[in-house]
Amino acid sequence: MADRTLRVCALFPDLMNIYADRGNLLLLQQRCAWRGIGFTLTGAGHGDEIDPDGHDLLYLGGGQDRDQQLVAEDLATHKRDAVHAHAARGGAILAVCGGYQLLGRSYELGEEEIPGVGLVDLHTVRHDGERLIGNVAIEVDLPPAGGIGGRRVLAGFENHGGRTHLGPAATPLGRVLKGHGNTGTSGHEGILHGHAVVGTYLHGPLLPKNVWFADWLVARALGIEEPLAALDDTLEDAAHASARRAAGV
Ligand code: GLN
């Protein structure tokens, strides 16, 4: 496995990085290093080209509405074709919170509608009512990669004003066990699309709290089917248990 390298590109890392997005990237880097998998990280900001064949994982982090307004146009026009081509050839995408909202068709903010990159069948509407905030746990059922898959619990934290409505062609990432999820009432959280396109409202240290999910993503991105080398996850398992306890699951 030593000759493998995970090539990550963070989209708009200066604007779409609310909460722990940088930490999620560091976690991927460290777990690759521990396993002898190479790791490269590049960023693509406004006006930058994305090489559709140059990355294994695109990362689009969280952002406030105003950050999303700043990046949406560039993402939906300049970067659109490359993001679609990347996903079509099986490249992985992790999009969190504000980034998740921009994976879809559009984000309605009152009178204004900002475009999404149109990769997945969803749209988001900013709600006047309460923000959906709190610890959250969802049950996912993932296709296998790296010896990981099946039914597992993802635990994290959500904080969003938008309500995300999945279209008929969309598969949610998981079933809400505790918390709000996509709309607060649908019972669904996130989206799972194609080979490895994941959108989720679970932000903050999503990957440090769910290292098995980080491993799944790496394996999926690199097309690794065989079990990944085991690591000492004593601390990481404790972090996961603590996140689940916080959500009451
Ligand atoms: N601006 C979005 C919302 O509030 C996403 C917020 C975020 O990324 N935390 O719905």
Side-chain angles (χ1 to χ4, degrees):
M1 204 180 285
D3 57 343
R4 284 183 170 139
T5 294
L6 182 75
R7 301 164 305 164
V8 180
C9 180
L11 305 186
F12 309 101
D14 50 342
L15 290 166
M16 300 297 284
N17 65 2
I18 202 170
Y19 310 123
D21 292 300
R22 178 87 191 122
N24 283 333
L25 294 170
L26 285 170
L27 180 124
L28 290 172
Q29 178 176 23
Q30 187 57 57
R31 290 184 80 75
C32 284
W34 281 332
R35 292 195 166 106
I37 299 174
F39 180 90
T40 61
L41 176 62
T42 51
H46 262 108
D48 293 340
E49 302 291 332
I50 303 171
D51 176 355
D53 299 312
H55 310 288
D56 305 299
L57 172 68
L58 300 181
Y59 187 90
L60 186 55
Q64 304 284 13
D65 292 351
R66 65 175 177 279
D67 302 319
Q68 293 170 275
Q69 283 164 317
L70 291 173
V71 307
E73 195 64 35
D74 185 72
L75 179 67
T77 55
H78 198 70
K79 295 183 173 45
R80 186 179 197 282
D81 291 351
V83 170
H84 281 246
H86 167 88
R89 63 161 186 80
I93 299 180
L94 178 58
V96 175
C97 205
Y100 164 42
Q101 295 171 340
L102 292 182
L103 275 192
R105 287 193 299 277
S106 56
Y107 181 21
E108 235 178 272
L109 290 148
E111 301 286 280
E112 194 190 356
E113 180 171 283
I114 62 174
V117 75
L119 183 65
V120 294
D121 186 15
L122 64 80
H123 76 283
T124 301
V125 180
R126 187 70 153 87
H127 199 269
D128 285 341
E130 290 184 352
R131 294 182 69 79
L132 303 180
I133 302 176
N135 293 298
V136 53
I138 66 173
E139 184 184 64
V140 301
D141 191 358
L142 299 175
I148 306 151
R151 283 182 200 277
R152 305 280 298 248
V153 172
L154 266 180
F157 190 82
E158 62 184 327
N159 180 354
H160 51 108
R163 306 316 195 239
T164 294
H165 304 275
L166 301 190
T171 305
L173 173 63
R175 183 171 72 82
V176 175
L177 300 173
K178 276 288 168 60
H180 303 289
N182 284 337
T183 66
T185 54
S186 68
H188 292 150
E189 205 293 311
I191 194 166
L192 179 62
H193 172 84
H195 177 71
V197 175
V198 175
T200 180
Y201 273 119
L202 273 60
H203 64 189
L206 165 69
L207 299 183
K209 286 177 177 173
N210 301 278
V211 288
W212 64 270
F213 181 67
D215 290 350
W216 177 84
L217 201 60
V218 171
R220 202 82 180 151
L222 293 178
I224 299 173
E225 285 170 20
E226 70 275 12
L228 294 170
L231 299 176
D232 175 1
D233 281 335
T234 310
L235 278 175
E236 291 80 356
D237 290 346
H240 180 73
S242 159
R244 285 182 66 153
R245 265 198 311 279
V249 170

